[in-house]
Amino acid sequence: MKRIASSALCTALFCVSSASLAATNLVIATVNNGHMIEMQKMGKFFEQANPDIKLKWVTLEEGVLRQRMTTDIATKGGQFDVMTIGMYETPIWAKKDWLMPLKPDATYDIDDLLPSIRDGLSLNGKLYAAPFYGESSMIMYRSDLVKKAGMSIEDRPSWAHIRAVAAKIHDPAKGVYGICLRGKPGWGDNMALITTMANSFGGQLFDMKWQPQFTSKPWKDAVTTYVDLLKNFGPPGSSSNSFNEILALYNEGKCGIWIDATIAASFVTDPKQSKVADKVAFAQSPIATTERGANWLWAWSLAIPKSSKQPEAAQKFINWATSKDYIKLVAREAGWASVPTGTRKSTYASPEFMKAAKFAAAEGTAIATSRPNQSTLPPSPYVGVQYAAIPEFQTIGVAAGQQMSAALLGKVTVDQALAVTQQAAEREMRKGGYYK
């Protein structure tokens, strides 16, 4: 409804304030993780400052959210005014002219955004999504268990060393599993981790001729290592576990080592959520033959689809939710250890944050060392660490994730899983016109 110019609309019988008549419903599609749930709680402050805007939330599990948003934006459905998307979708959707370029206001300080994150959310120098929180991946481990076993975990340990530590601390009789890793199939689930493993073994998704590389030795070595770790030292049901499931296990004290998103650190060190909050330590991700691409880079970000019915209100909300002031608001309401991280230089320059968040230095290093433009040892034609920023990758990644899950369950061998993945990838790339 259009805003009424006067402060009230009056008739002979009554007056109604323009604010109540002009209420704009802003529909926000987002993922069901901790920082987004916190954003919903903080939404009341935005509504108080903007009484003419009412926030309507659609909160979904990652895979369902991605499917709903992709369908809506491709068909110009207009269901959502703000979408929570990542570094994979942003440049692809911007190139298709599905997103509106963002226009942060003068107080936003766009130069405060971390360069690697900002670059990944831009196309031709224009920002198309604003980062709500950014992440890389790193090792989180139980320092008490590792020390008791007479072991240690330094930055960039070998995967062989990780296996040795996991074997030492694995004690299922006491409800402790040596290592927890994502097993749920999906390009943003098990494949996010497995692809970084393959990178570290010297592998890549595609060579310079866009030929898929899933049957290469680095991929076989990486997937063999992955399956071995979870079969021998992982919790039961690993093939169903993604971020939230493992977070619950870790916070109950059931995981000795967890290699996953740096954003998890703020939850596993929170004594309100974690029974082992004071026993967590951090290290940079494991490697095999190279550090390149060993830790991923991602940012859950807010964007405005071209089909948004309320683009001005959407821009106002995004400015607020991804600002320095929002970070200070969360710090005030929930504490500095709970703020969304991985987006702004000023967060890591804050003494209060660095003091409250014992994971801050490790997280900052992981994000800073992730290079989406140089993520593999051999040269690659794509941008991305745990994904390739091409439209075909989503289908390929889903198919690959299902095969890796089947290998973990013992339904197929590693060689069979990789061969089927290779065939599926070649089919998609031919269909996409990359080669005949």
Side-chain angles (χ1 to χ4, degrees):
M1 186 177 291
K2 291 182 180 178
R3 187 179 295 223
I4 297 170
S6 60
S7 61
L9 174 67
C10 297
T11 70
L13 296 176
F14 62 89
C15 292
V16 181
S17 72
S18 61
S20 63
L21 282 174
T24 293
N25 288 328
L26 194 68
V27 184
I28 304 164
T30 194
V31 67
N32 65 337
N33 62 32
H35 282 307
M36 302 313 190
I37 301 300
E38 189 71 35
M39 177 169 58
Q40 293 179 46
K41 293 178 185 174
M42 296 295 134
K44 64 185 180 183
F45 293 102
F46 177 82
E47 290 180 329
Q48 287 167 9
N50 300 275
D52 57 333
I53 302 175
K54 298 300 175 190
L55 305 179
K56 303 294 181 183
W57 300 91
V58 178
T59 307
L60 300 166
E61 183 269 333
E62 180 178 334
V64 178
L65 173 77
R66 190 168 275 127
Q67 188 176 33
R68 285 270 304 272
M69 290 190 307
T70 302
T71 300
D72 185 68
I73 200 165
T75 59
K76 299 180 173 61
Q79 291 184 56
F80 310 115
D81 299 301
V82 175
M83 289 182 168
T84 305
I85 63 177
M87 297 176 80
Y88 168 69
E89 297 92 348
T90 301
I92 295 173
W93 290 4
K95 194 172 183 180
K96 288 178 178 286
D97 198 31
W98 288 352
L99 299 175
M100 297 183 67
L102 298 182
K103 298 174 182 176
D105 59 31
T107 63
Y108 187 78
D109 193 2
I110 194 171
D111 291 330
D112 186 48
L113 298 178
L114 295 173
S116 59
I117 299 290
R118 179 180 172 180
D119 290 348
L121 298 172
S122 299
L123 181 69
N124 299 326
K126 291 183 180 179
L127 190 70
Y128 280 88
F132 182 70
Y133 75 79
E135 66 180 41
S136 184
S137 52
M138 66 181 179
I139 305 167
M140 294 159 278
Y141 66 95
R142 287 277 301 278
S143 55
D144 57 328
L145 298 180
V146 173
K147 184 178 180 181
K148 185 179 177 182
M151 305 286 278
S152 65
I153 297 179
E154 307 297 334
D155 285 343
R156 301 294 188 196
S158 68
W159 278 104
H161 181 72
I162 288 294
R163 188 189 193 282
V165 177
K168 280 267 193 177
I169 62 180
H170 186 59
D171 194 354
K174 293 183 179 178
V176 176
Y177 303 97
I179 191 164
C180 294
L181 302 170
R182 296 189 189 196
K184 185 177 180 179
W187 73 262
D189 281 300
N190 60 349
M191 286 304 293
L193 173 75
I194 295 171
T195 303
T196 62
M197 292 180 69
N199 292 341
S200 83
F201 276 86
Q204 60 190 152
L205 290 163
F206 307 98
D207 67 13
M208 290 302 289
K209 294 181 179 179
W210 288 106
Q211 289 285 345
Q213 297 295 299
F214 292 104
T215 51
S216 64
K217 186 176 185 300
W219 270 92
K220 181 176 180 178
D221 291 344
V223 178
T224 300
T225 299
Y226 168 82
V227 170
D228 167 64
L229 283 168
L230 284 181
K231 275 191 173 180
N232 289 303
F233 314 116
S238 283
S239 61
S240 300
N241 289 343
S242 188
F243 179 87
N244 287 331
E245 291 79 12
I246 300 175
L247 176 62
L249 285 170
Y250 198 98
N251 283 347
E252 285 295 316
K254 294 182 178 180
C255 296
I257 300 169
W258 183 20
I259 301 163
D260 210 303
T262 54
I263 205 71
S266 60
F267 307 128
V268 298
T269 56
D270 180 359
K272 296 174 188 172
Q273 302 181 48
S274 173
K275 293 180 179 178
V276 293
D278 60 340
K279 300 178 178 68
V280 185
F282 309 97
Q284 297 305 304
S285 288
I287 62 171
T289 60
T290 179
E291 292 185 11
R292 284 201 181 186
N295 47 291
W296 70 62
L297 187 68
W298 187 254
W300 278 119
S301 309
L302 304 179
I304 307 171
K306 276 284 186 79
S307 55
S308 171
K309 295 179 176 69
Q310 309 292 348
E312 290 183 13
Q315 179 68 73
K316 185 178 286 189
F317 174 77
I318 291 174
N319 280 350
W320 172 80
T322 63
S323 67
K324 288 189 280 190
D325 285 342
Y326 176 84
I327 291 170
K328 291 175 185 174
L329 172 66
V330 176
R332 187 188 78 206
E333 296 294 317
W336 272 102
S338 299
V339 304
T341 58
T343 60
R344 289 184 169 273
K345 303 170 192 174
S346 55
T347 302
Y348 295 92
S350 164
E352 296 94 340
F353 172 67
M354 297 301 286
K355 182 180 179 182
K358 68 177 186 178
F359 58 84
E363 177 188 62
T365 297
I367 291 172
T369 56
S370 188
R371 301 271 192 275
N373 293 303
Q374 294 178 317
S375 61
T376 57
L377 190 57
S380 296
Y382 56 88
V383 173
V385 181
Q386 76 280 22
Y387 61 88
I390 56 173
E392 292 75 17
F393 175 75
Q394 190 164 340
T395 300
I396 293 169
V398 169
Q402 291 168 345
Q403 289 301 313
M404 300 309 112
S405 179
L408 180 57
L409 287 166
K411 294 180 178 179
V412 297
T413 65
V414 169
D415 282 344
Q416 288 170 333
L418 291 171
V420 172
T421 300
Q422 179 75 12
Q423 291 169 4
E426 288 176 354
R427 186 166 56 248
E428 285 300 315
M429 297 304 279
R430 277 195 296 269
K431 194 190 303 181
Y434 290 82
Y435 49 79
K436 294 181 181 180

